[in-house]
Amino acid sequence: MRKFEFKRKENLELQRKFNYEQTVELFIDDKRLQKRSEKTIKTYRQTLCHFGKYCADNGYTGAEDDCVRAYVRWLTFEKTKWDDHPTNHSDVVGVSARTVNNALRVLRVFYNWAVKKRLINASPAQQVGLQTEDVDTFEIFTDAEIESLLAAPRRRTYTGLRDYTLMALIADTGMRVGEMTALVRNDFDLVYRQIILRAEITKNRKARIVPISRTTADLLRELFDYIGIDDPNSEEFVFLTQYGDQLIGDNFAKNLKKYARRSLVPIKARVSPHTFRHYFAIKFLRNGGDPFALMKILGHTDISMTQKYVRYASADLQEVHDKASPIESLTGKRNKPRGNVKFR
């Protein structure tokens, strides 16, 4: 009994000493030492700061057993979508299961780290389960929408040519926007029509080679001539701002929305670089591309990640089945004119 009381007292002492803000800073610093990508660090910080604000506004310290469960309940049933965005506003209450699960995964990593470092007794996120996500909820552009977006930039200007080339490059390769904006001239081999994505700029920290079409290679040559990169071994960034600095993915995403407003075709899909990635994947499969080749091009580490595109592309199964059906090939003549039929 005394041992139990001692343990309980020790646990309560740990909880009282828990300082959420300081623990977050220690966690972020540790992840930097582990060489996590800047994008991952940014995601950690944004999620933990958002949760910290919720705790402060609702009387939690971040050490209570029910603080994460209360946060998830608020995200699901009470939070107004985009209420913390400076320009986008919405009347929708509750965020998607995917958003909730992404936040919960970060909180699990954070609290498990804190438990391991003996900064807190137990993880408040451990007993909160992930929500069920809808499958294949992503949208893709139609061909007409892509053509309209490509027609929007003024290609006589540098920024117009740059954005046109970026759109063509995503539609041709499905690269992530962060990978594209980090490319330097030395990453391009226009003779063999391929781009070498260095490990340090990919999401999974694994290098890969991405093939490009002749059309895209010609566009890149035009862009290189425009900005004056003559040396193929140059380490200069390829996609620049009008002031000569490296282009940031968020700025390109904003430009896409501007081009969508200019579009002569109403665009129903969400206009973002990632929707271009979806478009490439679906078109690649529908045009006869192999799922394993797609997995390598997109940089997926597991074929299961590519299967969502395979399922989506299977929307064409009826047409494929009509062409390939064995029974149709055997009895197809029944649809041809046969003249008068005599019954005996």
Side-chain angles (χ1 to χ4, degrees), residues 13 28 71 78 84 95 127 140 183 193 195 215 222-223 227 238 254 266 277 282 292 309 333 337:
E13 189 67 24
I28 294 295
Y71 176 64
E78 299 176 39
D84 48 359
V95 300
Q127 302 303 319
I140 67 167
L183 291 170
R193 290 191 286 111
I195 298 172
T215 299
E222 184 180 352
L223 184 70
I227 59 180
V238 168
K254 290 176 183 177
R277 181 172 165 88
I282 297 302
F292 286 97
Y309 294 119
K333 292 181 180 180

Side-chain angles (χ1 to χ4, degrees), residues 141-149 151 259-269 271:
F141 295 122
T142 64
D143 289 346
E145 289 171 341
I146 286 288
E147 289 172 355
S148 185
L149 284 170
Y259 298 136
R261 290 192 292 269
R262 288 185 195 170
S263 171
L264 299 178
V265 175
I267 299 178
K268 298 179 181 179
V271 179

Side-chain angles (χ1 to χ4, degrees), residues 285-321:
L285 291 172
R286 287 181 176 174
N287 290 337
D290 178 73
F292 286 97
L294 178 63
M295 179 184 75
K296 292 180 180 179
I297 293 171
L298 292 178
H300 288 165
T301 55
D302 193 296
I303 189 63
S304 63
M305 301 171 69
T306 315
Q307 288 299 323
K308 63 179 181 179
Y309 294 119
V310 176
R311 288 192 294 269
Y312 194 100
S314 296
D316 286 347
L317 278 180
Q318 185 63 56
E319 181 181 347
V320 173
H321 182 270

